[in-house]
Amino acid sequence: MSHGTSRLTGVGVIRQYPFDLAVVSVAAILAYGIATATPDGNAVRLLVTFPLVLFLPGYALVSVLFPAADRSEREATSTPLDRQSRGIDVLERLGLAVALSLAVVPIVGIALPFTQWGFTTVSTAATLCVVTVVLAQLGVIRRFRTPASERFTVSPLASLARLRRDESAVATASSILVVLAIGAAAGALLFGFLVPPSTGGYTELALYSDDGGEELVAGNITDEVAPGESVPVTVSITNQEGEVTDYTVVVQEQVIEDDSVVERTRLEDLETTLDDGTTGTGELSVTPTASEGETVRISVLLYEGEPPEEPTNENAEEDTYFWVTVEE
């Protein structure tokens, strides 16, 4: 009595495991690990995000939909009945991989906000990784169920030889250009989402005065002082630059004639370092040096880092001011 034997042993399965789908699965896992382990804006993170979003899930899905090779690749050894099955060539697979990836990713983006994980970088990368690996394994099963004579396999040398034998060089070149154009357009779209045109950070500068209680109020700064008397004022700086920033505040007394500064006196400097998204305040006692009866402008000039040798309202990052008259 004879016993049936399996067509593929464990070792045989490993040897015949599709190389391209193994690469796709490993690449998806590595992309997930790198994308979630590196900070936003990192060049490596951006580099691995492109294939995870634009190619890998689509290629895995193509392997499920089209396990067979292109008809021209197998018609020499297949029967007329076999040649009725549909397959696609390498260029068509690459083009469909990009197109189907652009179909899979929006579905993931729509579905994730309704889950407990939410729509985050980690959840998106993890979902795309799982989808890619699962589809790739389904693609493996589909190929194993396809007759060996019809099964799609990756053979770069054979593909190059077919391109050389192809009588329709124009059609081949056109196919390559279509694939490259789709990839370039999709890549530009993704880059626009991941790295939008930078509008730069910003810093807010404001002056406050004490209203006599515990609260600070904007404006209402004393505009008349006796000779030698100081004007109390609170300087507020809010850092929205996206990084830790060193600031220098220059308090300058300015004599104005015909809307032009004719004399400058540097009264005080204030230095501080603020974390991104934080606000710092400092108390100043500004003592004008103007003569009795003279009105001067007190300008508060803000600089990132060290100020220039001659601080002005024009070269300051931010500036604000108030007027004060020295009583006679």
Side-chain angles (χ1 to χ4, degrees), residues 100-316:
L100 292 179
S101 291
L102 294 178
V104 171
V105 172
I107 295 175
V108 172
I110 293 173
L112 278 179
F114 298 97
T115 67
Q116 59 180 335
W117 303 288
F119 185 59
T120 64
T121 299
V122 174
S123 65
T124 303
T127 302
L128 290 176
C129 176
V130 171
V131 168
T132 300
V133 173
V134 170
L135 288 176
Q137 306 321 303
L138 292 176
V140 172
I141 296 173
R142 288 271 287 157
R143 288 193 191 175
F144 281 158
R145 290 182 176 179
T146 302
S149 61
E150 301 179 16
R151 189 180 306 162
F152 173 77
T153 57
V154 174
S155 178
L157 293 178
S159 299
L160 180 60
R162 284 194 300 271
L163 288 178
R164 290 177 177 176
R165 294 195 307 265
D166 192 354
E167 297 179 357
S168 180
V170 176
T172 299
S174 299
S175 299
I176 295 175
L177 289 176
V178 169
V179 172
L180 293 177
I182 293 175
L189 179 63
L190 176 64
F191 188 84
F193 278 111
L194 295 179
V195 188
S198 176
T199 57
Y202 65 93
T203 298
E204 294 180 351
L205 173 67
L207 297 180
Y208 297 93
S209 62
D210 190 345
D211 64 352
E214 298 181 354
E215 297 295 329
L216 294 175
V217 296
N220 199 31
I221 299 174
T222 301
D223 58 0
E224 289 187 356
V225 294
E229 184 181 358
S230 298
V231 179
V233 64
T234 299
V235 179
S236 173
I237 304 172
T238 301
N239 178 14
Q240 297 291 350
E241 298 290 346
E243 59 184 2
V244 177
T245 305
D246 297 325
Y247 294 104
T248 300
V249 174
V250 175
V251 181
Q252 189 178 84
E253 177 183 310
Q254 301 171 343
V255 178
I256 308 296
E257 292 182 3
D258 298 326
D259 296 328
S260 298
V261 179
V262 297
E263 183 180 342
R264 304 175 188 272
T265 303
R266 194 162 174 169
L267 301 179
E268 188 174 354
D269 287 4
L270 174 66
E271 296 181 352
T272 186
T273 300
L274 297 177
D275 292 331
D276 178 49
T278 61
T279 299
T281 58
E283 304 293 333
L284 296 176
S285 293
V286 181
T287 304
T289 61
S291 304
E292 295 183 16
E294 188 176 8
T295 299
V296 293
R297 185 174 74 181
I298 305 298
S299 286
V300 180
L301 312 176
L302 178 67
Y303 297 91
E304 294 182 12
E306 294 295 325
E309 293 184 2
E310 185 177 352
T312 66
N313 295 71
E314 289 72 27
N315 62 27

